[in-house]
Amino acid sequence: MSGFRNLTAVSDWRSWAVFRRNALVFLRNWRTALIPPAMEPVIFFVAFGLGFGGFIEDLDYHGVEINYATYVSAGLIAYTGFGTPYYEALYSAYVRMFYQKTWDGLLATQVELPSVVWGEILWGAARGMVNISLVCLVVAVFNLLGFVDVEVELLLFMPFLGFIAGSAFASFALIFTAIVPAIDHMNYPVFLIGWPLSVVSNTFFPIEPESAWLYALMQLNPVYQLAECARGLLVLGNPGWHLFGLLGSSTLFLIPCTLISIRLTRRRVLGD
């Protein structure tokens, strides 16, 4: 199957059938599948934004003085938008592929392998939307209590931005899902890639590299673009050029990572 057909499989009904299957399983177990993972960024917000933030002076964000809790609230939206689809496509997808043999069952029907991969990508992005929505709800409550100062009505756009970036993160994670020999080896993409990207992308603290090549590399990081896009919207009411940065960097990740993950998954699952 050509690369073009692999990419256009996102619009195939079979890709959305895989998405629907994962969504139905999630809805059946939503209490254990949703609440514990969604509480992680909330705990981080309370610990860093309210606890640690009490020891930090106000920050100057593009000429606007904001407290640390306001700064980190946008960062936690980006952290959630990255972590949820990334880990969903690592661990949950691996379990469906290797232990539950769900992918084998799907491939025994009319579903083809590109649709399985796209279904996982779409589902990972949707999980990111759900968790971002919960984080936004918490931020809105803390805004009402006066702990943060954000444009509350613009929180409605965060899940949709998270879906765009989440698709790229999920496609990237599926590359590792296709190549790791055992689930224990997931520690490598988690601790060598996942955690570093989570904390050095203007999520918990600002980073301003002086090196030109480091600055250029940061612009290609969708986590950074998502964090700055969210912060621009919530603080300034305008994402600025970071919206285009988010769209561009997400596309640069999504297209090649999807093609690579389809190829590697085909080799692992079908032996081609």
Side-chain angles (χ1 to χ4, degrees):
M1 183 177 290
S2 68
F4 178 76
R5 289 187 61 192
N6 285 338
L7 292 177
T8 55
V10 64
S11 61
D12 195 309
W13 67 268
R14 290 169 290 189
S15 300
W16 291 96
V18 175
F19 170 88
R20 180 175 179 271
R21 180 264 166 203
N22 291 342
L24 290 174
V25 173
F26 173 79
L27 291 174
R28 188 179 305 163
N29 307 293
W30 70 269
R31 291 177 181 84
T32 56
L34 173 63
I35 296 176
M39 287 301 100
E40 180 187 10
V42 175
I43 294 171
F44 274 28
F45 177 76
V46 174
F48 285 93
L50 303 185
F52 186 61
F55 300 94
I56 300 178
E57 297 180 354
D58 288 352
L59 304 173
D60 180 10
Y61 184 73
H62 296 284
V64 178
E65 292 291 325
I66 60 173
N67 60 21
Y68 181 69
T70 300
Y71 180 90
V72 83
S73 62
L76 283 173
I77 291 174
Y79 170 84
T80 305
F82 166 68
T84 301
Y86 185 71
Y87 297 125
E88 174 71 21
L90 282 178
Y91 287 104
S92 299
Y94 187 88
V95 168
R96 288 189 283 268
M97 176 189 71
F98 187 79
Y99 293 105
Q100 297 177 344
K101 303 297 182 184
T102 301
W103 291 8
D104 291 342
L106 291 170
L107 292 171
T109 66
Q110 294 174 291
V111 177
E112 297 180 348
L113 190 133
S115 292
V116 173
V117 173
W118 270 114
E120 294 291 345
I121 292 173
L122 294 169
W123 174 240
R127 279 298 312 274
M129 284 186 72
V130 172
N131 283 12
I132 285 177
S133 299
L134 290 178
V135 173
C136 288
L137 180 62
V138 172
V139 171
V141 171
F142 279 105
N143 183 82
L144 183 64
L145 296 174
F147 291 107
V148 299
D149 184 15
V150 299
E151 301 284 346
V152 179
E153 63 278 6
L154 296 181
L155 285 169
L156 295 173
F157 293 97
M158 295 299 103
F160 301 101
L161 295 178
F163 183 87
I164 295 172
S167 300
F169 302 141
S171 67
F172 181 51
L174 284 172
I175 294 176
F176 301 104
T177 302
I179 62 176
V180 295
I183 198 168
D184 291 340
H185 292 79
M186 288 294 185
N187 289 333
Y188 290 106
V190 168
F191 293 106
L192 297 182
I193 298 177
W195 268 104
L197 278 179
S198 298
V199 299
V200 299
S201 302
N202 277 28
T203 48
F204 297 100
F205 49 87
I207 297 178
E208 298 179 359
E210 297 181 358
S211 172
W213 70 271
L214 281 177
Y215 178 80
L217 189 62
M218 179 176 286
Q219 307 311 307
L220 298 176
N221 178 5
V223 189
Y224 164 77
Q225 297 292 356
L226 180 58
E228 286 300 296
C229 193
R231 194 166 289 120
L233 271 174
L234 299 184
V235 175
L236 307 176
N238 182 1
W241 67 269
H242 289 290
L243 177 59
F244 300 101
L246 176 65
L247 296 174
S249 60
S250 297
T251 302
L252 286 176
F253 261 73
L254 178 62
I255 293 177
C257 288
T258 299
L259 293 175
I260 294 171
S261 60
I262 290 174
R263 177 57 188 154
L264 293 176
T265 303
R266 185 182 302 277
R267 182 182 303 170
R268 176 160 191 167
V269 177
L270 302 180
D272 292 350

